[in-house]
Amino acid sequence: MKLFVTFEGGEGCGKTLQSKNLYLKMVKLAMPAILIHEPGGTPLGEKIRHLLKKSCDIPISSLSELLLFNASRSQIVADVILPALEEEKIVICDRFSDSTVAYQSFARGLDISTVEHVNGIACQGVIPDVTFLLDVPPEIGLARKRAGANDRFEQEDLDFHHRVREGFLKMAKQRPRRWVIIDATLPVKEIREIIWKRVSREIEKA
Ligand code: TMP
C-alpha cells in the first residue's frame, strides 16, 4: 500500500527514534516500507546535509539555505520517494518540507510564500498523508542534545528554536486532518503507541 508518513519537530524531540521504531514495526509485520531522512538520503543529499549541519565556518544566507535544503529534497523525491510510492511502499521520512517552513520561514524570517513555492517545486506534488509533530519545549529538546556535538542549527539561540516550535504548532493546527500533535515529553513507549494507533488506522483505510 502507498503511504507517506513524516515526522517533524524541533531539536531533541525524539523523531529519529520514533521513525525508526515505526519502520521496525513495519518490517516485523512484513509490510514493504523504507525509512529515510532529510536533508540527505541520496549521495548528493548527504553532501548537502554535511554542508548545512556541520560547516559552521562557511557563511550560508537564509535564501541559500532554503535552496540547499530543496536541492537535497528534489533529489530524494525523484530518486527515492516517488519510485517507492509507485511501488506501493510505505515511506517513513524523518523531516520533510514542513521543516523548511518552520526553520527557514518562521525562524529565519524568509517570506512564507517564497518558501512554499520553492518547496512545491522540489516536492513535485508529493504531500505527506500523515505528519507526526513531536512537540517539545526547546529548553528540554536542546538539553537532550547539547550533551552531544553542536551543529549549525543547535547553536542558534533559544528564540530561534521557539519560533521553530511555534511554526510547527501553527501548521499542525491549520491542518488537523494530516497532522498529529504529540507531547514529546511523554514516555517513549506511550508515543510509540499513539503513532502506531494512527498509522494502523491509515493502513486499515487503504
Ligand atoms: P536532523 O536531521 O538531525 O534533525 O538535522 C537537520 C537540521 O536541519 C535540523 O536542525 C533542522 C534543519 N532543517 C532545516 O532547517 N530545514 C529543513 O528543510 C530541514 C529538512 C531541516
Side-chain angles (χ1 to χ4, degrees), residues 6-11 13 15 37-39 49 65-66 69-70 73 93-108 110 115-116 119 123 128 131-133 153 160 163-165 167-168 171 178-179:
T6 58
F7 284 81
E8 298 284 5
E11 312 304 316
C13 68
K15 60 182 176 39
H37 63 259
E38 269 215 35
R49 179 182 180 85
E65 201 173 83
L66 168 69
F69 276 114
N70 274 298
R73 181 165 303 129
C93 195
D94 179 351
R95 294 198 186 280
F96 195 56
S97 53
D98 298 305
S99 273
T100 321
V101 177
Y103 281 81
Q104 278 65 54
S105 179
F106 282 91
R108 289 273 192 246
L110 287 179
V115 172
E116 284 173 343
N119 280 354
C123 291
T131 300
F132 294 104
L133 170 59
F153 293 94
F160 177 92
R163 292 196 296 277
V164 168
R165 184 187 189 197
F168 276 131
M171 283 187 277
R178 166 158 76 92
W179 288 78

Side-chain angles (χ1 to χ4, degrees), residues 25-198:
K25 177 95 180 176
M26 298 294 179
V27 171
K28 208 166 155 192
L29 295 174
M31 301 199 73
I34 60 164
L35 173 62
I36 50 176
H37 63 259
E38 269 215 35
T42 64
L44 174 69
E46 289 303 322
K47 284 201 187 300
I48 294 175
R49 179 182 180 85
H50 188 268
L51 256 179
L52 284 166
K53 284 190 52 141
K54 303 288 175 202
S55 306
C56 303
D57 52 332
I58 299 175
I60 303 178
S61 73
S62 302
L63 184 58
S64 300
E65 201 173 83
L66 168 69
L67 296 169
L68 283 167
F69 276 114
N70 274 298
S72 169
R73 181 165 303 129
S74 74
Q75 197 71 34
I76 200 172
V77 166
D79 290 359
V80 183
I81 300 179
L82 279 172
L85 292 175
E86 269 157 29
E87 288 167 17
E88 300 278 318
K89 286 185 178 159
I90 296 166
V91 177
I92 302 162
C93 195
D94 179 351
R95 294 198 186 280
F96 195 56
S97 53
D98 298 305
S99 273
T100 321
V101 177
Y103 281 81
Q104 278 65 54
S105 179
F106 282 91
R108 289 273 192 246
L110 287 179
D111 174 54
I112 192 157
S113 58
T114 305
V115 172
E116 284 173 343
H117 180 66
V118 178
N119 280 354
I121 296 169
C123 291
Q124 299 170 59
V126 174
I127 300 170
D129 297 295
V130 187
T131 300
F132 294 104
L133 170 59
L134 272 69
D135 177 53
V136 68
E139 293 84 348
I140 297 177
L142 288 168
R144 287 176 180 171
K145 281 243 161 170
R146 280 202 169 134
N150 275 3
D151 70 29
R152 241 166 42 84
F153 293 94
E154 287 159 23
Q155 283 174 5
E156 290 291 340
D157 62 20
L158 207 49
D159 278 356
F160 177 92
H161 294 287
H162 276 292
R163 292 196 296 277
V164 168
R165 184 187 189 197
E166 272 147 32
F168 276 131
L169 284 170
K170 191 167 175 194
M171 283 187 277
K173 285 175 186 158
Q174 275 170 350
R175 292 198 170 76
R177 283 166 65 156
R178 166 158 76 92
W179 288 78
V180 181
I181 305 174
I182 301 174
D183 174 356
T185 63
L186 288 171
V188 170
K189 189 167 168 276
E190 223 171 294
I191 297 175
R192 196 171 63 208
E193 281 162 7
I194 296 169
I195 292 167
W196 180 242
K197 206 167 152 193
R198 174 60 189 264

